Amino acid sequence: MSNRRAYPRNQSRLYKIKSPAQLADVLNIKKHQLESLAKYSNENYHRWTDEASGRAIQRPKPMLEKIHIRAAQLLGRIETPEFLHSAVKGRSYISNAEQHVFGQPTVKADIRRFYPSTRAPAVFHFFQDRMHCVGDVSGILAQLLTVDGHLATGSSVSPILSFFAYEDMFDEIENLALRYECGMTCYVDDMVFTGPGARRQLIYDLIKVVRRYQLLVHKTKIFRAQQPKVVTGIAMTQRGKRLPNRRQHAISQRFKELKSARTDLERLRIMEKLIGQLFEAAQVDSTWYPRALQMRDERRALQRSISQRSQIIN
């Protein structure tokens, strides 16, 4: 059990909001600004396509982003099931993976295009039927927290709101896991089941549950009991947590970029990215920590060298 400061939903400031004026107060914004943002919400996003994944990204512009951040903070304080590890204080992709120890079979499955498939009506349903806000308030929240009728892929509120919008579905999935004698975790759209019943029939039944909510399951995978398994980017092995080969390869490629860099400024830019990768790797596997510290020291030395040369020239 984690020591998270959470409370029942009926203690949330988002619970039983009775008017747009009260909503504006809760979101720390003026009522006329709230109504204007809701009316023109689709126009208040930066939009681009991620080159690496090809995904369409929608990120709220500054004023709307403040509302999304505030809503995420308030929703993030509400009690959630033990199986949820995303958008929950004290939990992460690492704590998610740690629940699936080596030595038992595991089933993995994702929900396809979860944010684009989480529609505004599901958000409205959550605020009206679960949070007991009045209809016009629920409508405003659905407008404010979605873009083009679905959750935004680049919003801070989407990770927690995607769970609450389909809370009924996740309740059914948890019951399914219990029926198959499996421990379950969920990290946004990534569901993992470990236990004696982690087999293909569980996947078939999971697909049926998810389909009833007009969503699709994909990227299913079964790991045998004695097989290393990658869960939310972490390899769970007989020796404990390890960095998957894919992430090790990415670090190796970054070192090659650093070696072939032609200027000190280019080296600094690559070092910044590499240091982030190494410290993140060290959170999973402590054997990476010395390399992270060494790279940080090398960056500092290079920064001093650049600064000294600059002073001589000036």
Side-chain angles (χ1 to χ4, degrees):
M1 298 284 287
S2 60
N3 295 320
R4 357 181 216 134
R5 295 186 61 187
Y7 41 62
R9 72 186 63 210
N10 62 9
Q11 300 299 310
S12 172
R13 291 199 65 194
L14 287 170
Y15 189 76
K16 275 192 176 179
I17 297 179
K18 298 179 179 179
S19 69
Q22 183 186 355
L23 175 62
D25 181 61
V26 168
L27 295 178
N28 300 327
I29 193 171
K30 296 184 183 300
K31 181 172 176 286
H32 71 88
Q33 292 174 312
L34 180 81
E35 291 171 340
S36 176
L37 283 170
K39 185 176 181 181
Y40 301 105
S41 59
N42 286 343
E43 300 172 21
N44 281 286
Y45 286 85
H46 298 292
R47 301 164 186 263
W48 71 95
T49 300
D50 180 71
E51 292 183 5
S53 65
R55 286 195 314 148
I57 308 295
Q58 311 90 26
R59 180 177 177 178
K61 294 178 181 179
M63 184 172 287
L64 184 59
E65 186 173 38
K66 288 180 181 178
I67 290 177
H68 283 216
I69 290 170
R70 174 65 172 162
Q73 290 171 340
L74 294 173
L75 291 172
R77 295 170 188 165
I78 297 173
E79 289 176 342
T80 53
E82 287 297 313
F83 65 74
L84 186 68
H85 286 259
S86 52
V88 175
K89 187 177 181 181
R91 297 189 173 188
S92 67
Y93 72 97
I94 297 176
S95 67
N96 183 81
E98 287 172 339
Q99 309 309 305
H100 302 280
V101 296
F102 182 85
Q104 292 193 66
T106 293
V107 161
K108 282 176 52 177
D110 288 1
I111 298 175
R112 185 176 181 273
R113 290 172 49 82
F114 193 28
Y115 292 168
S117 299
T118 301
R119 312 300 298 178
V123 175
F124 178 88
H125 156 71
F126 166 67
F127 284 110
Q128 183 177 59
D129 300 334
R130 292 289 188 127
M131 297 299 284
H132 299 292
C133 295
V134 297
D136 57 346
V137 167
S138 299
I140 290 172
L141 282 165
Q143 286 178 294
L144 287 170
L145 303 180
T146 64
V147 57
D148 302 330
H150 60 77
L151 290 186
T153 52
S155 167
S156 58
V157 77
S158 294
I160 189 64
L161 189 51
S162 61
F163 166 74
F164 281 128
Y166 287 98
E167 194 171 12
D168 295 337
M169 179 187 74
F170 285 113
D171 285 345
E172 285 193 51
I173 294 171
E174 183 182 26
N175 289 332
L176 181 68
L178 291 172
R179 200 164 79 235
Y180 278 90
E181 300 181 80
C182 287
M184 167 192 171
T185 65
C186 178
Y187 192 83
V188 189
D189 61 345
D190 190 334
M191 298 171 290
V192 188
F193 309 83
T194 295
R199 56 183 187 270
R200 195 163 300 280
Q201 188 60 46
L202 189 156
I203 296 176
Y204 295 150
D205 288 345
L206 174 66
I207 290 170
K208 291 176 186 176
V209 171
V210 173
R211 274 182 180 166
R212 287 204 297 273
Y213 292 85
Q214 286 75 55
L215 298 172
L216 296 174
V217 168
H218 76 150
K219 294 184 180 178
T220 60
K221 188 171 179 63
I222 300 173
F223 296 95
R224 299 184 305 276
Q226 299 304 313
Q227 180 183 3
K229 50 199 170 194
V230 177
V231 178
T232 47
I234 296 175
M236 302 302 294
T237 74
Q238 194 169 13
R239 296 178 297 157
K241 300 194 300 291
R242 291 293 183 268
L243 209 63
N245 292 335
R246 177 178 55 81
R247 290 176 66 181
Q248 292 187 43
H249 178 71
I251 291 173
S252 176
Q253 288 298 110
R254 194 76 73 188
F255 270 110
K256 288 179 181 178
E257 288 178 27
L258 182 62
K259 190 174 182 179
S260 61
R262 296 183 177 181
T263 67
D264 284 346
L265 289 179
E266 187 181 356
R267 289 186 188 91
L268 272 182
R269 179 183 59 79
I270 296 169
M271 281 179 170
E272 290 289 345
K273 295 178 180 178
L274 187 52
I275 288 168
Q277 287 177 298
L278 290 170
F279 274 107
E280 188 175 9
Q283 291 180 11
V284 175
D285 181 349
S286 60
T287 60
W288 289 87
Y289 195 59
R291 298 178 74 179
L293 292 176
Q294 180 183 352
M295 182 54 58
R296 189 176 64 182
D297 290 343
E298 289 180 13
R299 181 196 60 184
R300 288 173 177 170
L302 182 58
Q303 287 173 326
R304 285 196 298 270
S305 175
I306 293 172
S307 177
Q308 289 168 358
R309 290 202 302 269
S310 177
Q311 290 173 2
I312 291 171
I313 292 172
N314 293 332

